[in-house]
Structures are given as structure tokens and as C-alpha cells.
Amino acid sequence: MKKDYTILVPTMLPMHFEILISVFRKSGYNCKLLKNEGDEVKEYGLKYVHNDTCYPAQVVIGQLIDAIENGGYDKNKIALMITQTGGGCRASNYISLLRKALFNAGYSHIPVISLNFAGLDDSSVKFDVPMVLKAVPSIMIGDLLMHLRNQCAPYEQNGESEKLCRKYIDKASEILTQNGLQNKKIQKLYKEIIQDFSKIKRDGKEKTRVGIVGEIFVKFSPLGNNDLESFLASQGAEVYMGGLMDFVLYCVYNSIADAKLYGMRKTKARLYKIVYNYLLKKQRAIIKLIEENSDFVPPAYFDETRKLADGYISIGMKMGEGWLLTCEMLELIHSGVKNIVCAQPFGCLPNHIAGKGMMKVLKENFNDVNIVAIDYDASASRVNQENRIKLMLANSNED
Ligand code: SF4
């Protein structure tokens, strides 16, 4: 079916996903990244997903059904791709929720493909080695572009960072779809990106630095968080946020922790330890490149971030974003970013515990932090969300 079908993919991180999709295309998956948005997406989500279910499921499934109904695709030649984390919360159930929604909408003939690395479903994407190895730089490049753009955009004059993002998404996609792993070209690309962003003329006016943490979908997806990054930028803030690779490292580390805490799957844990160290080495190399080639603040090193959990939250708390969410707030506080927006989806119990539930103790231990939890929900008012963020900015704390 690969050659005849178009695979629709919901958007979470537009830059990362665009590069990843080019890698998938090279392996024969004809993917199309969805860009449809607006009230209809939420309406379809509410209509076909139980209203007790967490908000990201409603948005993701709503976007897919809206694309089927209104996207002009041949309904007999499309498939849908959706991620499955394999975690204990509802993220692993999105695939069943989507199948149920398709059945109710009269599209049960449309195949669903699960994107996961653990073979959780019969329909899982069959990863080949080049796909996996190229997924790593795809995520690294997406994180790097996001990180540098956030540090340039509030200070530049002519939207240069967006233009550079476009240029390097295309260039990365072009390199990663060549045969072979192209390691040398990728290394060169990292450096070129950093050097090009360094050339952007930034004015020296101080901006309020605001960190974004939260459940992965509403943290990153402009569709899920009503374009939170752009809103903060429009309010004169400089945004800080951990990248997608941190979430990948968190998932990998959890398998190592399972062996430590519960004696589970020890052989598998050894393999995960190798993967963990490999990814850390890649992250360390990018941090070093940023330090050596620019005056940008490098991203935090994950192995240090995870240790911040000590004394606050157990690494056994790994539903949803679990301990990572608390660690990301602590990491922001330690690096002097005292204003934090914690993005929480409606219906997400794990993140209300590791995010909102940890705010009291963080405020007690760091009395100058300014954290606000913002709930995202199909019926939540965007104006109310933005007003609460404006209030937080009015009380902003800076070093
Ligand atoms: S982390 Fe929360 S929002 Fe995400 S799938 Fe799990 S319960 Fe739902």
C-alpha cells in the first residue's frame, strides 16, 4: 500500500516534523503533514472523542477527521499516522480512540499506522536502521532551530530567524534524504546553523524571559496551545523551553529506571543505557558547538536536568511527562528564568500532579519564582488564557 497511499500526520512540532517526514518519505512512506486548524478541528474532536478524554486526543483526532472530511483527499487512498508513547497514561490509547472515531464517522476502512519505537501495535511503522539513525539528527536540528530562533526573534528587526529556519529545514531535509548517514554533512550543518544565527543583528533591549513547560502536545503544538510561543513573543517575552530530544531521553531513561527501581527487563535496560549514552553524547556535542561558536545560551544537558528530581519527585513518577516536567521547571529556575508558564491539558491527571501539583513546593523553596498553570481545553477561552499570562508577565521576576 506504501506506494499508492498518502499518510496524513497530525502536527505537533512543525519544524521537527517537516524534517522527520522527509526522512520517512525516503523510506517509502508518503507522508503529508497536516496544517488544518481552527474551530472545526476542535468541533470534530468533541464530536468523535469522548469528552472525558484528555484534550490532546481531541485535537489530534479532530485534526485528522477534519482533514478527511474537508482536505480534498481520496478517502480510499489515505492512511493516518499517530504516535504511541507506550507510557501508562492515555497516550498509548490514542490509537484505539482514533479507530473508534473513524468507525463512528463512517471511515473504518481507513488504515491507521502507529508511530512508536516499541512495536506496540500490529500497525506499527517498520523502522529500518537508516530511518532511526536519521531521526536523531532530525530531532536535534529541529531543537537547535527552535532554541536559536527563540533567542533571536525578540531582538531582531526583519524576521531573519524565521527565514533561517525555513532555509535550514529545507537543507536538512535535502541532506537527510541522501543515501548513507551523511554524518559529516550533518556536523557541518549544525555549525553553519549556529554561525548563521549568530550573524543576526540583535538589539540590546532586555526582554522578560519566560519558560514554557508542560504536557508535550500543549507545550509544543501551536494548535494545542493557541500559539503560545507567538503570543509570548508579541508580549515582548523571550521564550525558553526544553527540546523534543529531552522528552526522548526521558522516555529512554525511564526504561533504565524500571530496571533500577523494580528489577524489570534488565537486559533491555542495558540496551537502553547504550542508547541513552549515545543520545547524551549527541546532545553534549551540540552544546559544545553553541558554546564555541556563539554567545547563545546553550540548551541544558539532560543528564544534569534529570538529577534535579532529587528531593522533589521520584523518577518512578513517569506517567505523561512525569518527573521531567518538575525537572524542567527546576532547570529554568536554576538558570535564572523565573517566569514559567506550565501548559496543562484538560483531563491530564499525570501532568496536573507533576506540574501544577509541584508548584507549591517550588514557590516555597524559591520565593521569587512566578509560575502560572494554564489549562487548555476545547471550551477554554483563549482570552482568559492570554489574560492570565499577561497578569503573570505584569508580575514578572528577573535576576
Ligand atoms: S500525558 Fe496527559 S494529556 Fe498526554 S496522553 Fe497522558 S493523560 Fe493525556
Side-chain angles (χ1 to χ4, degrees):
M1 292 160 80
K2 255 178 166 182
K3 63 179 182 348
D4 298 325
Y5 274 63
T6 302
I7 303 168
L8 308 183
V9 182
T11 316
M12 185 169 75
L13 285 127
M15 292 195 291
H16 299 63
F17 276 33
E18 208 175 312
I19 304 171
L20 276 165
I21 271 176
S22 64
V23 172
F24 278 40
R25 280 209 198 103
K26 172 77 180 160
S27 290
Y29 293 94
N30 180 23
C31 294
K32 168 108 185 113
L33 191 59
L34 295 179
K35 300 210 168 125
N36 50 325
E37 54 184 20
D39 288 342
E40 282 198 342
V41 165
K42 292 176 190 169
E43 293 296 326
Y44 279 118
L46 284 171
K47 187 169 174 189
Y48 291 111
V49 183
H50 194 283
N51 63 3
D52 243 7
T53 305
C54 38
Y55 180 55
Q58 293 176 3
V59 180
V60 168
I61 293 170
Q63 192 184 35
L64 287 165
I65 305 266
D66 179 44
I68 298 169
E69 294 256 322
N70 306 313
Y73 301 101
D74 178 346
K75 296 182 179 68
N76 293 314
K77 286 285 162 61
I78 51 172
L80 313 178
M81 188 182 279
I82 192 163
T83 51
Q84 256 185 310
T85 64
C89 73
R90 282 170 282 188
S92 295
N93 299 327
Y94 281 19
I95 200 128
S96 326
L97 290 168
L98 174 58
R99 286 194 178 115
K100 184 168 182 287
L102 288 172
F103 177 82
N104 288 339
Y107 299 119
S108 48
H109 65 285
I110 295 180
V112 174
I113 304 168
S114 165
L115 179 61
N116 71 80
F117 288 93
L120 294 170
D121 191 271
D122 291 345
S123 70
S124 300
V125 172
K126 304 285 179 284
F127 282 98
D128 52 38
V129 176
M131 253 174 115
V132 176
L133 292 177
K134 287 183 175 184
V136 175
S138 306
I139 295 173
M140 292 283 190
I141 293 166
D143 280 352
L144 181 62
L145 291 174
M146 184 177 78
H147 193 73
L148 300 183
R149 184 200 57 194
N150 283 343
Q151 289 186 60
C152 287
Y155 302 100
E156 66 194 17
Q157 300 301 321
N158 303 308
E160 293 93 333
S161 56
E162 276 305 332
K163 288 178 204 149
L164 282 184
C165 285
R166 185 65 263 158
K167 173 182 164 184
Y168 284 110
I169 290 168
D170 293 342
K171 200 160 178 184
S173 304
E174 197 259 314
I175 293 173
L176 288 163
T177 46
Q178 292 169 12
N179 291 334
L181 295 180
Q182 303 299 338
N183 282 335
K184 275 194 188 150
K185 285 190 186 168
I186 292 162
Q187 290 310 318
K188 203 166 150 242
L189 188 73
Y190 291 144
K191 198 164 170 185
E192 208 180 308
I193 292 173
I194 297 164
Q195 288 173 340
D196 250 6
F197 271 86
S198 305
K199 288 182 200 148
I200 295 178
K201 202 164 172 304
R202 288 166 276 160
D203 72 34
K205 277 182 237 147
E206 279 285 303
K207 306 275 179 188
T208 306
R209 291 176 302 164
V210 179
I212 302 177
V213 298
E215 186 274 342
I216 186 165
F217 185 79
V218 292
K219 173 184 167 184
F220 287 128
S221 165
L223 180 61
N225 63 25
N226 291 329
D227 217 350
L228 177 60
E229 268 180 87
S230 305
F231 174 71
L232 284 168
S234 75
Q235 299 301 304
E238 181 184 341
V239 172
Y240 279 76
M241 61 208 288
L244 180 60
M245 186 47 74
D246 287 353
F247 182 75
V248 174
L249 279 158
Y250 159 79
C251 295
V252 174
Y253 189 81
N254 281 337
S255 293
I256 302 169
D258 276 348
K260 265 194 211 160
L261 294 173
Y262 314 115
M264 284 165 69
R265 298 181 295 239
K266 288 193 176 159
T267 317
K268 220 173 177 186
R270 268 181 233 123
L271 181 68
Y272 278 108
K273 182 91 184 155
I274 295 169
V275 175
Y276 183 70
N277 287 334
Y278 170 79
L279 295 176
L280 279 183
K281 201 170 141 204
K282 296 280 171 196
Q283 192 182 51
R284 173 70 95 196
I286 299 243
I287 293 172
K288 197 159 171 260
L289 273 179
I290 294 176
E291 285 168 347
E292 285 172 358
N293 292 281
S294 73
D295 60 352
F296 293 118
V297 178
Y301 183 51
F302 182 83
D303 211 44
E304 298 296 327
T305 304
R306 82 163 171 85
K307 288 179 190 152
L308 297 172
D310 287 352
Y312 284 93
I313 189 165
S314 163
I315 53 162
M317 171 38 194
K318 60 190 179 67
M319 296 299 126
E321 280 58 42
W323 55 266
L324 176 65
L325 212 169
T326 310
C327 288
E328 283 191 336
M329 287 197 276
L330 283 160
E331 200 282 317
L332 286 165
I333 295 167
H334 286 303
S335 56
V337 181
K338 304 287 174 66
N339 306 296
I340 301 172
V341 175
C342 182
Q344 307 266 179
F346 169 78
C348 174
L349 185 62
N351 283 288
H352 276 75
I353 294 167
K356 214 175 196 169
M358 294 303 290
M359 281 166 51
K360 183 166 178 271
V361 69
L362 292 179
K363 284 180 181 169
E364 277 168 7
N365 288 1
F366 305 93
N367 53 20
D368 55 347
V369 298
N370 183 22
I371 314 178
V372 62
I374 303 292
D375 289 321
Y376 290 91
D377 170 11
S379 57
S381 142
R382 181 176 188 149
V383 175
N384 278 352
Q385 290 163 347
E386 294 183 350
N387 282 345
R388 293 197 62 220
I389 296 169
K390 281 186 191 169
L391 188 63
M392 184 211 69
L393 289 170
N395 298 321
S396 68
N397 293 324
E398 285 286 281
D399 267 353

